[in-house]
Amino acid sequence: MKSTFTSKLLVVLLMLVSCSYSLLAQSVPSPPASPDTLRIIQIIHGDRLREKTTDSVTNFQTIAGHVLLKEGLTLFYCDSATINRRTNILEAFGNVHINQNDSIHTYAQNLRYIGNERVAYLKKDVRLTDNKGILYTQDLEYDLKGSIGKYKNGGRVVNGKTILTSTEGTYYAETKDVYFKKNVHLVDPKYDMRNDTLLYNTQTQVSSWATPTVIKSKNGGDIYSSSGTYDLKNGKAFFGNRSVIKDSTRTYVANNSAYDEESGIAQLIGDAVIKDSVNAYTVLGGEIYLNKNDNSFLATRKPVLIFKGEGNDSTFIAGDTLFSGVEKRNKDGSKIIIKKDTLKNTTVLKLSDSLAKVYNRKDSSIMRMPMMGDSAANFAQFNKINARIDSLRNVGVVDSSQRSDSSHNVVQNNKEVIARHDSSKPVIKLQPDSLKTVTVGESSGKKDSVHRIARMEKKDSLQAAAEQDSLNYASMVKHFITKLAVTNKPLVKKAVPDTAIRYFIAFHNVRIFNDSLQSVCDSLYYTSEDSVFRLFKDPLVFSNNSQIAGDTIYLFTKNKKADRLYVFEKGNIINKPNESMYNQVEGRTINGYFKEGQMDYARVKGSPAESVYYPQDDDSAYIGMNRSKGDVIDVFFVDKAVNKVKFINDVDGTLYPLRLAPQDQKYLKGFKWLDKRRPKSKLELFE
């Protein structure tokens, strides 16, 4: 009996202990809520305080006079305020100031702050600053938790001398970015920019956009871009999506463009185009570098230069590389001599690296600039080529008005003899005699073209100047890349006015196409000073059915059309009247003239000059093959073909009937018909 009672007592005691432990566990208070989940707005100071309580609980507090409130690390200043303790909402009035951790300051006249969400709604004369830029608006929604401010009724950001306005905007305090939308307008001391969407960083002063944008330069010029980045602080810019850049005389277009204001260097990549409306030329290339300080450029990757002519008569020039610059002159027109000591301490700028430092930021909110690719080799070459190439600029060309020809007196003082022969007659040997001038193969129904010889009366001193150019060319190639470099400071603060001497250089695989004339060579030099194309290293000029070759050729132009040419050393002319015959003239020098873009007359000099010519009778039938030589040979063209050949001094020749013409006499020593090298269409230059 006693044992049973003891067992029951133990069970009761165990039940009581369990209940007590349960009650004790329930009475233990839970840990306080995290301050991040619930922030209490504390009253630090106020001249007057009123409270409204309900059921011993304070519901409303009204503070007036030098009010200072605190929530976490954020301080609120105002003239008066009310706090709803039930909803944790603060309303402040008069000279409102929010100090967020001493990094962001916001000012307004009215504030409604939702404490649980940490969102502030500010109105009237709102001003937000991060010690970099200042945001002005009349209505701002500011999220203190994310440090993000938004306005939808117009706002303005002032950062130093840069002012940005828009209808809507979002400010990100952590990254210092401002995202502008609708009617965006940026005003800078250098530029005026308008678009619909813009991202701007108040710390780096980098602006980015991805919508159609118009940028106007205060110095003149417009930029039309739908994608780009511009560093206002360092003057570096990137433009994508075939942006169009215009200045007073030129237009620049490319898939991607980059520009550095400090160095004046611009880089155009992808179907790049430069169009000069004043000098009437256009440059196309896969990649183009420009130096705006001295108006020079270097085009690579299948570049083509187009000189605009009358109507559709344009001249196309292609090569592996094209370079152009402007030669500076003193007020009296003399050339400026650059002293050697000014070339010391030169540096080479690598644009891709300098831009990468600015645009390739880690901030995800900033638009990253697509890099232009590794073009260091081309850019270094541009910096070296971008200089005054003395060996080319000093090329002297004597105007045609100063030429003379000692053979003129011979033509005037000797009687012309026209030799005509029938193919059925035996071979006639022409021996030197007292007759100094012999004319071969002129059709009787056509006028004598002696008046064209009168052009040669003027002083003929081109040869000496041209030969000097040939000597200069060897040194030009050697020093072309390393002559000068771009200094670390711009030589000219403002762009050089392109009003005087602009020169163009093309080198390696140069091809020229015009409807009336084509040419190929290894290197080319052209200057607006004399409008002469200097063709170096195995040049060829093609005009209709004629091919002109030599060691070096000068092609003189007038009004963008071929006017005359000068060939020296190993000069020859080949005219192909049909598939089996080649009229040929060969000598040391050749002076040729064009009429309406067609070859009209040429004078060949040599020691001696030689020719192979197929004369025709009145019915245009070929009467034989004439191989002759003389000190001077004059060639006359009519209807794109050789019409007459004249020999002057020490004439020696043989006229063979066509059937009896020896095979080894049909071609001169320098004969090479190279029509395969001739550009057949301007489209070939773009291939």
Side-chain angles (χ1 to χ4, degrees), residues 11 18 25 59 63 119 147 152 207 227 247 296 310 315 319 332 360 419 448 514 542 549 557 587 593 596 644:
V11 171
S18 299
N59 293 325
I63 311 99
V119 177
S147 299
K152 296 183 179 180
S207 59
S227 174
D247 59 22
S296 63
E310 296 180 0
T315 300
D332 59 359
N360 208 17
D448 192 334
N514 184 279
F542 302 91
T557 62
Y593 290 85
E596 301 297 332
K644 182 174 61 177

Side-chain angles (χ1 to χ4, degrees), residues 222-225 239-247 250-258 266-276 282-290 292 372:
D222 300 327
I223 300 174
Y224 303 90
S225 172
F239 307 101
N241 295 345
R242 293 205 65 76
S243 299
V244 179
I245 304 172
K246 294 184 177 181
D247 59 22
R250 282 178 287 278
T251 301
Y252 310 90
V253 184
N255 293 342
N256 297 295
S257 308
Q267 180 184 8
L268 311 179
I269 289 184
D271 297 329
V273 180
I274 302 176
K275 185 175 182 180
D276 191 309
T282 301
V283 180
L284 302 91
E287 187 168 2
I288 302 177
Y289 293 96
L290 305 107
K292 289 195 172 184
M372 304 294 284

Side-chain angles (χ1 to χ4, degrees), residues 302-432:
K302 299 182 179 180
V304 177
L305 171 64
I306 305 173
F307 285 108
K308 179 66 175 175
E310 296 180 0
N312 296 323
D313 187 20
S314 298
T315 300
F316 297 78
I317 303 172
D320 292 345
T321 306
L322 293 174
F323 177 81
S324 178
V326 177
E327 185 176 292
K328 302 175 187 177
R329 293 293 181 102
N330 293 313
K331 293 182 179 180
D332 59 359
S334 60
K335 295 182 180 180
I336 296 177
I337 300 176
I338 301 177
K339 297 182 180 180
K340 292 184 178 180
D341 57 4
T342 62
L343 304 179
K344 295 180 180 179
N345 301 323
T346 57
T347 58
V348 177
L349 170 67
K350 186 176 179 182
L351 183 61
S352 299
D353 288 348
S354 61
L355 289 175
K357 294 178 182 179
V358 177
Y359 300 113
N360 208 17
R361 298 180 58 212
K362 295 182 179 180
D363 299 340
S364 59
S365 59
I366 284 286
M367 296 181 182
R368 294 187 179 181
M369 186 193 88
M371 296 312 296
M372 304 294 284
D374 187 9
S375 304
N378 285 338
F379 192 79
Q381 183 186 24
F382 170 64
N383 274 336
K384 294 177 181 179
I385 293 176
N386 181 23
R388 297 298 170 262
I389 304 171
D390 297 336
S391 60
L392 282 177
R393 287 210 225 103
N394 292 329
V395 171
V397 177
V398 181
D399 189 81
S400 60
S401 62
Q402 300 176 352
R403 295 184 296 112
S404 66
D405 194 342
S406 59
S407 61
H408 169 65
N409 294 331
V410 177
V411 176
Q412 298 297 324
N413 298 329
N414 292 279
K415 184 177 180 180
E416 297 183 5
V417 178
I418 300 177
R420 305 185 187 279
H421 303 278
D422 189 89
S423 59
S424 61
K425 296 181 180 180
V427 175
I428 299 176
K429 187 74 172 178
L430 299 178
Q431 297 291 345

Side-chain angles (χ1 to χ4, degrees), residues 529-599:
E529 184 176 20
D530 49 27
S531 300
V532 177
F533 289 91
R534 295 164 175 82
L535 313 178
F536 301 102
K537 196 176 180 181
D538 301 326
L540 295 173
V541 174
F542 302 91
S543 177
N544 297 311
N545 298 326
S546 298
Q547 170 189 294
I548 305 167
D551 180 77
T552 302
I553 298 178
Y554 281 10
L555 180 61
F556 296 78
T557 62
K558 188 175 182 180
N559 298 326
K560 303 296 177 65
K561 289 185 178 181
D563 181 58
R564 60 190 179 96
L565 60 79
Y566 183 78
V567 185
F568 56 98
E569 299 301 332
K570 303 176 183 178
N572 67 73
I573 301 176
I574 302 175
N575 177 260
K576 187 178 182 181
N578 55 51
E579 292 299 325
S580 60
M581 297 180 182
Y582 295 92
N583 295 315
Q584 307 156 57
V585 184
E586 188 173 292
R588 189 168 62 88
T589 63
I590 299 175
N591 272 291
Y593 290 85
F594 295 85
K595 185 177 181 181
E596 301 297 332
Q598 309 296 332
M599 179 65 76

